[in-house]
């Protein structure tokens, strides 16, 4: 496997949108807090990257960096990470989170937050393994976790 990180582009966006999930994973992709916050997330502040193995799209990560975000959780936040079902469990998710942490450091920020739903089939164990520590809960009951850099 030769993993590379590329920008989201017309060449990759279709493949990103057609990546598959394992059964039961759909419900974990977007916590309620994200739909509420969608109104306040500025697309210009989005950081999105695609993991490619050779010329195959295998993963996607999206974050937002916005010092003016009205809520603390959304100032430096991982919004979405997903790895194609067939390629999960090969270190691609970790590769993407490490790239994000590099970006956080590059921007001179001191943390990255993620919000997720706990539960069987969800990303909780992954987020713990790659370094996120729970620090609270949203008003909708999602876990708030962060990596300090
Ligand atoms: C969560 C997700 C991105 C993980 O990607 P991945 O490429 O399979 O993860 P990796 O192979 O890099 O795993 C990194 C570590 O997490 C661990 N891990 C990953 N998934 C795990 C699980 N379901 N249970 C326990 N540990 C898990 C791995 O064992 C590995 O540990 P190690 O490096 O210490 O050996 C992937 O499962 C996915 O796309 N899920 C569906 C979408 C989703 O829920 N996204 C999160 C919300 S937006």
């Amino acid at each position: 496997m030769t993993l590379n990180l590329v920008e989201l582009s017309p060449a990759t966006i279709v493949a990103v949108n057609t990546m598959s999930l394992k059964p039961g994973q759909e419900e974990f992709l977007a916590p309620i807090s994200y739909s509420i916050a969608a109104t306040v997330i500025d697309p210009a502040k989005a950081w999105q990257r695609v993991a490619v193995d050779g010329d195959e799209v295998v993963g996607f990560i999206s974050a937002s960096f916005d010092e003016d975000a009205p809520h603390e959780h959304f100032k430096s936040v991982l919004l979405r990470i997903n790895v194609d079902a067939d390629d999960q469990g090969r270190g691609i998710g970790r590769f993407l989170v490490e790239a994000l942490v590099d970006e956080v450091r590059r921007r001179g920020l001191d943390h990255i937050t993620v919000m997720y739903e706990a539960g069987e089939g969800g990303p909780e164990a992954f987020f713990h393994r790659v370094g996120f520590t729970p620090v609270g809960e949203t008003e909708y009951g999602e876990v708030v976790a962060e990596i300090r850099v």
Side-chain angles (χ1 to χ4, degrees):
M1 182 163 70
T2 314
L3 280 181
N4 281 303
L5 197 67
V6 298
E7 294 200 15
L8 189 64
S9 69
T12 53
I13 197 162
V14 173
V16 166
N17 284 334
T18 52
M19 275 195 303
S20 58
L21 292 166
K22 290 189 174 169
Q25 289 185 330
E26 300 83 1
E27 64 187 281
F28 292 97
L29 269 183
I32 297 165
S33 297
Y34 291 1
S35 350
I36 308 292
T39 47
V40 298
I41 290 173
D42 179 347
K45 301 191 169 144
W47 181 87
Q48 297 170 316
R49 291 293 183 276
V50 178
V52 293
D53 178 11
D55 57 9
E56 189 197 346
V57 167
V58 291
F60 173 68
I61 190 165
S62 161
S64 174
F65 299 109
D66 182 2
E67 283 174 16
D68 302 324
H71 198 296
E72 196 57 38
H73 300 337
F74 288 95
K75 292 189 172 171
S76 174
V77 62
L78 193 177
L79 293 172
R80 177 181 276 222
I81 178 168
N82 59 302
V83 171
D84 194 64
D86 293 340
D87 291 298
Q88 290 180 18
R90 300 170 66 206
I92 298 165
R94 181 182 284 280
F95 169 79
L96 288 167
V97 170
E98 285 172 359
L100 173 59
V101 168
D102 285 348
E103 179 66 15
V104 170
R105 212 171 268 127
R106 199 185 66 74
R107 288 172 183 251
L109 301 171
D110 63 4
H111 76 285
I112 182 82
T113 302
V114 70
M115 281 156 268
Y116 59 82
E117 302 219 19
E120 198 60 34
E124 184 166 37
F126 165 75
F127 284 133
H128 287 186
R129 290 299 294 176
V130 299
F132 282 94
T133 306
V135 291
E137 212 177 82
T138 70
E139 59 187 301
Y140 306 104
E142 299 126 359
V143 179
V144 180
E146 65 179 26
I147 294 177
R148 306 297 302 182
V149 302

